[in-house]
């Protein structure tokens, strides 16, 4: 695991100064405090900061081929590197290290650009071919590892984090906020790929690579979901079919976990007490034949938010070496302004706060953790997937009845009001947006200041989602699998995986996600919806696969997201921080938000009329982001 950055000059102009690479590496030193490395020759510069996981002693980067004509810097892990190494050695390639990184240069020599599709793992890398003056940057299949880039003055500049790009003086001097993406962030809680909050700074899409050669930049896919189903549309399947799929799911998942335990350093796991992380730990325990170190986080004096009793139950069941971290309001009061340093591509997800703290906690004992992200998006775990099945029933309700409902729902809290709006929306794009919104559209309209009101009239959010829907057309998904596909392409990489990467790497900890092995992803999308959501039960087939290994109480638990007690803490311990930031002159002068309405929302939250903690956290984060990366 590393941080990578670099540039290539593809048009004539002034070269970058030699100290630029060092500044880029320094900006992402937290991603790899063990070592750093640099390569600069002709038009290209590559750098990395290393967190040593495999071949600790000899895996330094950049790494080249035997002749020194192909160079790479790499972030992530190639889980099938031993198989690839054997193939390449048989073909005559000579390896100088045991590192998985070296596989990249030799595989490129042997297979050309097509080699990327042979990789299995989580990765972002840059490869320079000196002979053909060609730079390739690539990002893994589902976007576990991040990669950003921009072009300026004839340069392609890239890095694991946006701050690496801003370490280039000319990029930093020219940065401009993309105001419409502030609106997008406040709508979806994240900014969808390829955009960011800065104009001209882009995220490389998952499953894609960019080629820069002869003055041209081309982005190409190396992976897409295969259009193959386990059962033909409209045909029924038998119980025997289902049993075979359960066994195949179990085998594929266990194989993924086994691969992802590969390391030359201590490996542990995050254990929330939910089914997804519990099954990860169970698979680790079964295959390692030893006690696994597990880590959980709880909140002091907030019983409604604590799930420690469930993680404790799983730990006892699996006999893990369990550690718990208790978080209090004062810890978050100190952390919120500081953690924004690692959120140059911010997400409005308060879970980043305890996630960072538990990452620091785990890092005291291990260098790698396995996590449970991805199961919900593959197998239908979120409540909205279950609720959306009532859409067709709502459509059959007479209009005169539906016209009466808003008189009731307007007095309900936002989640219920929002659910009604989603269920009563026919257009698939608008319905997905209704389910996914941070807050009601009318709430955001009332909150918007002049700058955002203008952007709301020219909003591109629906167009962005429409593009993704159009790309799903060849798969002929039903509604559930279409919702899952949308989350695979947006929410998963741009929010959840963004959060996992930033919080773990800020603590110099590598987080791996075994549910997101691309072969397991392909298998999940080949299954019929009815084995994912069955009788209103989400993740049905995963629950069947897990029944053999973890307690029924954990499998049958009512799903509860990783909730953080910001609501009550904003009313008490965190109130001074919130009021100070949202009442500051800088916040008021930005012109994004209507200060009168901001004050009303704060008051509504403080009096308990409405829980606005997520919206308030979003407002706070937007201001802190500007102070750190713009002012």
């Amino acid at each position: 695991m590393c941080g990578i950055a670099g540039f290539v000059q593809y048009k004539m102009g002034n070269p970058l100064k030699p100290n630029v690479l060092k500044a880029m590496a320094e900006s992402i030193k937290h991603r790899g405090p063990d070592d750093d490395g640099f390569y600069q020759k002709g038009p290209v510069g590559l750098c990395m900061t290393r967190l040593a996981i495999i071949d600790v002693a000899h895996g330094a980067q950049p790494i080249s081929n035997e002749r020194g004509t192909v160079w790479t810097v790499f972030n992530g892990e190639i889980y099938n590197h031993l198989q690839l190494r054997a193939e390449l050695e048989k073909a005559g390639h000579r390896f100088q290290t045991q590192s998985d990184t070296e596989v990249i240069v030799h595989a490129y020599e042997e297979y050309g650009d097509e080699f990327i599709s042979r990789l299995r793992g989580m990765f972002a890398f840059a490869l320079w071919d000196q002979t053909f003056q060609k730079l390739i940057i690539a990002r893994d299949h589902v976007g576990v590892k991040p990669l950003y880039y921009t072009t300026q003055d004839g340069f392609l500049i890239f890095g694991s984090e946006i701050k690496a790009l801003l370490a280039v003086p000319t990029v930093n001097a020219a940065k401009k906020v993309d105001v419409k993406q502030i609106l997008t962030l406040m709508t979806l809680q994240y900014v969808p790929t390829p955009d960011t909050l800065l104009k001209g700074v882009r995220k490389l899409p998952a499953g894609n690579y960019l080629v820069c050669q002869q003055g041209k930049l081309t982005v190409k896919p190396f992976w897409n979901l295969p259009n193959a189903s386990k059962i033909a549309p409209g045909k029924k399947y038998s119980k025997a079919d289902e049993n075979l799929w359960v066994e195949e799911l179990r085998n594929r998942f266990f194989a993924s976990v086994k691969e992802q335990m590969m390391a030359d350093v201590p490996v542990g796991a995050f254990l929330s007490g939910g089914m997804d992380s519990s099954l990860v730990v169970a698979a680790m325990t079964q295959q390692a034949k030893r006690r696994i170190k597990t880590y959980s986080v709880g909140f002091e004096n907030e019983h409604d938010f604590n799930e420690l009793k469930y993680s404790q139950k799983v730990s006892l069941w699996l006999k893990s070496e369990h550690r718990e971290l208790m978080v209090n309001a004062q810890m978050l009061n100190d952390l919120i302004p500081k953690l924004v340093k690692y959120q140059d591509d911010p997400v409005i997800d308060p879970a980043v706060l305890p996630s960072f703290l538990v990452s620091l906690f785990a890092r005291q004992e291990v260098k790698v953790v396995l996590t449970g992200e991805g199961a919900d998006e593959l197998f239908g775990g979120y409540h909205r997937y279950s609720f959306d099945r009532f859409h067709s029933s709502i459509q059959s309700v007479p209009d005169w009845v539906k016209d009466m409902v808003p008189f009731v729902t307007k007095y309900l809290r936002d989640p219920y009001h929002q659910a009604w709006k989603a269920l009563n929306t026919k257009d698939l794009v608008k319905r997905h947006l209704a389910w996914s919104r941070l807050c009601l559209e009318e709430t955001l309209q009332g909150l918007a200041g002049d700058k955002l009101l203008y952007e709301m009239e020219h909003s591109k959010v629906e167009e962005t989602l429409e593009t993704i829907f159009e790309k799903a057309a060849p798969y002929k998904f039903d509604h559930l699998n279409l919702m899952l596909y949308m989350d695979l392409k947006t929410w998963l990489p741009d929010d959840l995986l963004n959060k996992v990467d930033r919080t773990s790497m800020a603590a110099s900890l590598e987080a791996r996600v075994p549910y997101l092995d691309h072969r397991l992803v392909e298998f999940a999308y080949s299954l019929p919806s009815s084995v994912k959501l069955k009788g209103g039960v989400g993740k049905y087939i995963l629950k069947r696969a897990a029944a053999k290994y973890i307690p029924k109480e954990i499998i049958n638990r009512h799903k509860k997201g990783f909730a953080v007690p910001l609501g009550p803490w904003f009313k008490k311990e965190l109130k001074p921080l919130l009021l100070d930031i949202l009442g500051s002159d800088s916040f008021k002068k930005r012109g994004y938000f209507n200060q009168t309405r901001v004050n009303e929302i704060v008051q509504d939250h403080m009096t308990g009329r409405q829980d606005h903690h997520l919206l308030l956290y979003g407002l706070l984060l937007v201001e802190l982001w500007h102070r750190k990366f713009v002012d």
Side-chain angles (χ1 to χ4, degrees):
M1 180 68 70
C2 304
I4 65 169
F7 57 80
V8 64
Q9 186 171 10
Y10 61 90
K11 291 182 180 178
M12 294 296 292
N14 296 323
L16 293 177
K17 294 181 179 179
N19 62 349
V20 168
L21 270 184
K22 288 193 175 293
M24 297 177 82
E26 186 61 32
S27 71
I28 52 174
K29 187 67 176 177
H30 54 278
R31 299 185 69 91
D34 295 337
D35 193 13
D36 56 25
F38 304 88
Y39 172 81
Q40 188 164 2
K41 185 175 182 180
V44 73
L46 306 174
C47 67
M48 55 76 64
T49 61
R50 186 184 182 213
L51 184 66
I53 303 293
I54 295 174
D55 194 8
V56 174
H58 305 104
Q61 300 180 38
I63 283 181
S64 72
N65 63 348
E66 300 94 327
R67 295 175 291 125
T69 57
V70 178
W71 290 83
T72 193
V73 286
F74 166 68
N75 170 27
E77 305 292 346
I78 305 299
Y79 299 125
N80 63 332
H81 76 99
L82 293 177
Q83 299 95 304
L84 290 172
R85 173 187 292 265
E87 292 174 15
L88 293 165
E89 287 180 333
K90 190 174 181 180
H93 295 270
R94 299 191 309 277
F95 284 75
Q96 303 172 45
T97 74
Q98 298 301 312
S99 169
D100 55 342
T101 305
E102 193 174 357
V103 165
I104 293 173
V105 293
H106 296 300
Y108 169 75
E109 288 182 297
E110 186 68 23
Y111 305 117
D113 294 2
E114 190 272 336
F115 87 95
I116 307 173
S117 63
R118 294 173 179 259
L119 303 179
R120 191 163 70 244
M122 57 178 193
F123 54 81
F125 66 80
L127 180 144
W128 172 246
D129 184 332
Q130 180 177 308
T131 303
F132 292 98
Q133 297 287 286
K134 171 182 173 182
L135 181 76
I136 297 174
I137 61 174
R139 189 179 180 198
D140 65 65
H141 304 74
V142 295
V144 180
K145 304 317 300 174
L147 193 55
Y148 299 86
Y149 69 95
T150 190
T151 56
Q152 186 185 73
D153 300 331
F155 282 87
L156 168 67
I157 302 163
F158 64 89
S160 295
E161 299 182 15
I162 294 174
K163 60 180 64 66
L165 280 57
L166 297 178
V168 180
T170 54
V171 174
N172 189 60
K175 66 178 182 284
K176 291 183 180 179
V177 177
D178 190 341
V179 177
K180 66 177 177 292
Q181 300 305 339
I182 298 289
L183 175 64
T184 303
L185 177 66
M186 294 300 297
T187 301
L188 295 175
Q189 300 176 239
Y190 59 88
V191 177
T193 301
D195 296 308
T196 70
L197 291 184
L198 294 175
K199 289 184 177 180
V201 174
R202 300 171 72 80
K203 290 178 265 200
L204 186 66
N208 278 253
Y209 67 106
L210 183 155
V211 177
C212 180
Q213 188 177 28
Q214 296 179 343
K216 296 181 180 179
L217 279 68
T218 308
V219 176
K220 305 176 182 178
F222 67 83
W223 178 80
N224 279 305
L225 286 173
N227 196 354
S229 177
K230 290 287 181 185
I231 195 83
K235 286 192 175 183
K236 293 184 178 181
Y237 58 88
S238 67
K239 192 67 176 179
D241 290 327
E242 185 181 299
N243 291 338
L244 287 174
W245 297 336
V246 169
E247 192 61 29
E248 185 175 357
L249 169 56
R250 189 180 289 136
N251 291 338
R252 285 176 178 268
F253 178 69
F254 270 60
S256 177
V257 169
K258 184 176 182 179
E259 279 191 342
Q260 298 198 25
M261 292 175 69
M262 171 190 70
D264 296 332
V265 296
V267 178
F270 287 157
L271 180 60
S272 69
M275 182 185 71
D276 305 338
S277 63
S278 298
L279 186 56
V280 169
V281 177
M284 295 174 73
T285 303
Q286 286 280 322
Q287 298 180 107
K289 305 299 182 184
R290 60 176 171 81
R291 298 180 68 190
I292 302 299
K293 293 181 184 292
T294 56
Y295 305 90
S296 299
V297 62
F299 303 98
E300 289 184 4
N301 306 316
E302 297 292 343
H303 299 296
D304 291 343
F305 294 86
N306 272 328
E307 298 186 283
L308 291 180
K309 65 179 181 180
Y310 298 109
S311 58
Q312 290 165 2
K313 185 178 184 70
V314 175
S315 175
L316 286 171
W317 181 279
L318 298 174
K319 298 180 174 60
S320 71
E321 293 184 26
H322 194 53
R323 311 283 190 271
E324 295 177 351
L325 174 69
M326 294 300 292
V327 174
N328 58 44
Q330 186 55 50
M331 293 165 74
L332 296 195
N333 188 72
D334 298 337
L335 184 63
I336 288 172
K338 295 177 182 177
L339 192 58
V340 74
K341 169 185 177 182
Y342 305 105
Q343 298 181 76
D344 45 28
D345 184 15
V347 295
I348 302 176
D349 187 344
V352 301
L353 305 165
S355 295
F356 172 63
L357 291 172
V358 77
S359 293
L360 285 174
F361 183 56
R363 183 63 177 86
Q364 297 173 25
E365 296 184 327
V366 299
K367 248 185 176 179
V368 177
V369 291
L370 271 59
T371 78
E373 273 76 18
D376 290 310
E377 291 78 13
L378 297 187
F379 300 105
Y382 295 131
H383 293 312
R384 64 178 181 269
Y385 302 146
S386 180
F387 293 155
D388 195 70
R389 65 198 168 104
F390 297 114
H391 166 71
S392 57
S393 300
I394 293 292
Q395 296 307 302
S396 65
V397 174
D399 288 342
W400 68 270
V401 176
K402 288 193 286 188
D403 289 342
M404 296 176 63
V405 173
F407 289 105
V408 178
T409 59
K410 70 179 180 180
Y411 297 110
L412 298 177
R413 294 179 181 272
D414 272 3
Y416 305 102
H417 195 174
Q418 193 166 338
W420 168 255
K421 283 184 169 290
L423 288 171
N424 199 33
T425 302
K426 294 181 181 179
D427 181 85
L428 288 173
V429 174
K430 288 183 171 62
R431 193 157 90 247
H432 180 82
L433 182 56
W435 282 123
S436 306
R437 296 187 69 92
L438 167 64
C439 60
L440 292 169
E441 185 175 7
E442 51 264 40
T443 302
L444 188 55
Q445 283 179 332
L447 184 62
D450 292 341
K451 285 184 178 180
L452 288 191
L453 280 173
Y454 174 80
E455 295 299 340
M456 289 184 85
E457 296 177 4
H458 306 84
S459 175
K460 303 291 186 183
V461 177
E462 286 188 20
E463 290 182 20
T464 300
L465 298 179
E466 184 69 54
T467 300
I468 299 170
F469 268 93
E470 290 171 356
K471 291 180 179 178
Y475 298 105
K476 298 180 180 178
F477 287 137
D478 59 20
H479 284 177
L480 175 61
N481 276 324
L482 185 57
M483 291 178 76
L484 296 174
Y485 179 85
M486 288 297 296
D487 282 338
L488 179 75
K489 296 297 183 181
T490 56
W491 170 259
L492 182 66
D494 293 323
D495 186 295
L496 292 186
L497 295 178
N498 179 331
K499 174 190 70 180
V500 170
D501 175 81
R502 294 311 172 85
T503 56
S504 60
M505 292 312 301
S508 303
L509 178 75
E510 175 169 298
R512 300 177 178 177
V513 280
Y515 285 104
L516 296 178
D517 177 286
H518 77 272
R519 298 166 303 169
L520 186 57
V521 173
E522 292 172 358
F523 171 74
Y525 278 87
S526 74
L527 295 172
S529 292
S530 52
V531 297
K532 299 175 185 177
L533 180 62
K534 192 166 188 174
V537 177
K539 294 191 287 195
Y540 167 78
I541 192 170
L542 187 63
K543 289 177 179 179
R544 281 204 58 195
K548 195 174 177 181
Y549 302 102
I550 57 180
K552 288 184 179 180
E553 179 187 355
I554 301 301
I555 293 173
N556 297 326
R557 273 185 63 200
H558 182 69
K559 181 170 179 58
K560 183 178 180 181
F562 188 15
V564 180
L566 279 186
W569 286 351
F570 272 153
K571 294 178 183 179
K572 296 178 182 178
E573 296 92 337
L574 300 181
K575 183 176 179 180
L577 173 70
L578 182 71
L579 296 182
D580 178 62
I581 292 174
L582 299 190
S584 64
D585 288 342
S586 60
F587 179 82
K588 296 174 183 177
K589 289 177 181 178
R590 296 199 196 280
Y592 294 138
F593 305 108
N594 180 325
Q595 191 64 40
T596 300
R597 183 60 186 136
V598 170
N599 295 340
E600 290 173 352
I601 287 173
V602 171
Q603 186 63 20
D604 282 350
H605 183 83
M606 298 302 170
T607 59
R609 282 196 293 267
Q610 182 71 277
D611 183 354
H612 284 304
H613 77 273
L614 195 58
L615 183 55
L616 292 172
Y617 178 70
L619 296 172
L620 185 152
L621 185 61
V622 167
E623 173 60 19
L624 291 175
W625 179 86
H626 276 77
R627 293 183 186 183
K628 180 63 181 177
F629 296 105
V630 180
D631 295 350

